[in-house]
Amino acid sequence: MTTDRNDSSLDCMRVLNPRSLLSAFREFHNKEWWYTGVYDPAAGIYVSWYFVRVNVTDKFVMTVFDEAADVGGTWAPPRIRKTCRLEPQAPGATAGLEIRRRDCKISYRAGHGHPWRLQVEAPTLAADLEIAPTTPPFTKFDNAFQDRYAIVHYFHGRADGVVTVPQGKTYRLSKALVYQDHCYGRVPSRTGWHWIAVQNASVAVTSLVNYGAYAQRYTQAWFGADPSAAPTSPRPNEWIRLDQNVSFELQAHNDQMHDWTVSSPDLLLDVKPRRSVTDLTRIPPLVNLKHTEFFVEASGRVRVDGRWVDTGLLYGVMEQHHGRW
């Protein structure tokens, strides 16, 4: 399902308020996450942050991928990684996530019809960014009877503000390109996925292949009505559902930073990872996860109504995730 509306009520479909111990057992398999990625070529960074809700625990991770950083074995991206509990939300409040601790303050909020704003105050990272969505979201709601899953995601948002990392380096972002999503639902404890979300000023492409027992899959593309583009899409300014049977192929099996190919009967993308970071989460005996986030560039083509359309150069995120949670 897709939607043509910039409907802020979509952001409120969530299970955000802290749960009681009893409801934590009732909702044991329910999970919720919010991801945002911002790319500013002038500032030379891709910055991402996400909130994850699992049972009674919440987690916030923010990472700054600097294109000019030395990657010769010792480089580590500036980041925050906090396990915490989100603050309760007032009844009737607009969408928002907030963490208040001695060592950090984090707020990510939106008002109906107003931009999102991220504010981070921590010793290792600080940020103040305002994000304005510009195109309607893509939505998908899966019902596998036992496991239900939903995603709302926005491309082509624009961000302005500042990000400060250790040693006092400050990046100033202006009209940076933004991707945002919100996912929630029942996900099998043993799972794995590949996911990519890349864009330029007029094109967006996203694909998820989930390898769990009740697998979620989607692949979508958006082409703006840009008369200067060659060739142009026969279906501009709408979300186009593509074949969901997508293959993520790593060309060198022992090197994740080597080139990838993402392909289906309707899609062919050459993907080049530029930076990556891997999280290992182990809480014996239940949790054992390996999650890698890549900042990538991609290019290729998409088949729309039987016609192949070039994407141009795209930037964004790719993830590889597997394990048990």
Side-chain angles (χ1 to χ4, degrees):
M1 171 184 174
T2 60
T3 179
D4 293 327
R5 298 175 299 135
N6 253 324
D7 188 349
S8 58
S9 67
L10 292 172
D11 297 321
C12 298
M13 294 186 295
R14 62 192 185 280
V15 188
L16 185 58
N17 292 328
R19 308 171 211 164
S20 67
L21 185 60
L22 178 60
S23 65
F25 284 103
R26 289 175 179 169
E27 302 178 17
F28 185 77
H29 292 289
N30 285 352
K31 299 174 177 69
E32 181 177 22
W33 51 100
W34 307 69
Y35 180 92
T36 302
V38 181
Y39 178 56
D40 190 329
I45 64 166
Y46 178 83
V47 56
S48 71
W49 59 90
Y50 57 89
F51 297 82
V52 180
R53 228 143 174 228
V54 181
N55 305 325
V56 296
T57 301
D58 304 315
K59 180 174 162 182
F60 174 79
V61 178
M62 183 174 182
T63 308
V64 177
F65 298 89
D66 188 331
E67 292 187 283
D70 178 18
V71 294
T74 60
W75 176 81
R79 67 195 318 238
I80 299 173
R81 188 175 184 269
K82 297 291 183 184
T83 300
C84 53
R85 287 294 302 271
L86 294 176
E87 296 294 327
Q89 189 164 348
T94 55
L97 305 97
E98 190 167 1
I99 300 166
R100 293 194 298 268
R101 294 176 29 158
R102 287 185 178 181
D103 58 345
C104 69
K105 293 181 181 178
I106 300 162
S107 174
Y108 190 39
R109 294 190 170 276
H112 294 303
H114 298 287
W116 283 84
R117 188 176 184 188
L118 173 76
Q119 295 174 291
V120 177
E121 297 178 21
T124 57
L125 202 58
D128 189 347
L129 295 170
E130 189 171 274
I131 298 170
T134 63
T135 57
F138 154 66
T139 64
K140 190 169 191 290
F141 303 96
D142 287 331
N143 181 354
F145 297 102
Q146 179 171 338
D147 291 317
R148 295 172 173 82
Y149 170 87
I151 182 168
V152 181
H153 63 186
Y154 297 84
F155 283 83
H156 294 138
R158 293 293 180 173
D160 295 280
V162 296
V163 176
T164 302
V165 298
Q167 289 81 50
K169 185 174 182 178
T170 297
Y171 304 92
R172 301 191 181 278
L173 284 66
S174 178
K175 305 303 179 186
L177 205 54
V178 182
Y179 167 84
Q180 297 171 279
D181 71 30
H182 175 206
C183 315
Y184 53 92
R186 293 173 61 89
V187 179
S189 61
R190 287 188 177 274
T191 190
W193 67 71
H194 284 110
W195 169 66
I196 190 169
V198 287
Q199 63 182 329
N200 57 34
S202 60
V203 178
V205 179
T206 182
S207 181
L208 169 74
V209 177
N210 187 303
Y211 310 108
Y214 296 90
Q216 302 90 27
R217 290 173 177 258
Y218 61 76
T219 301
Q220 296 277 338
W222 171 282
F223 292 87
D226 183 1
S228 66
T232 57
S233 169
R235 293 165 60 188
N237 293 333
E238 66 173 283
W239 281 108
I240 303 162
R241 176 167 291 185
L242 307 175
D243 191 297
Q244 297 184 121
N245 293 311
V246 175
S247 175
F248 284 72
E249 300 173 64
L250 176 60
Q251 297 180 22
H253 295 291
N254 59 348
D255 183 4
Q256 291 188 128
M257 293 301 290
H258 203 276
D259 294 352
W260 292 66
T261 300
V262 180
S263 62
S264 78
D266 293 334
L267 176 67
L268 179 60
L269 286 181
D270 295 319
V271 180
K272 298 182 183 298
R274 300 176 66 158
R275 300 288 185 271
S276 71
V277 63
T278 297
D279 274 336
L280 300 175
T281 304
R282 293 190 175 95
I283 307 175
L286 296 177
V287 179
N288 187 356
L289 291 174
K290 184 175 182 180
H291 179 91
T292 301
E293 178 185 2
F294 302 87
F295 163 50
V296 300
E297 66 176 52
S299 61
R301 53 185 184 155
V302 172
R303 189 168 66 169
V304 181
D305 297 340
R307 175 183 170 187
W308 286 99
V309 183
D310 293 336
T311 65
L313 198 57
L314 310 167
Y315 295 92
V317 62
M318 186 174 74
E319 287 184 354
Q320 178 170 271
H321 175 104
H322 63 93
R324 181 177 61 198
W325 59 346

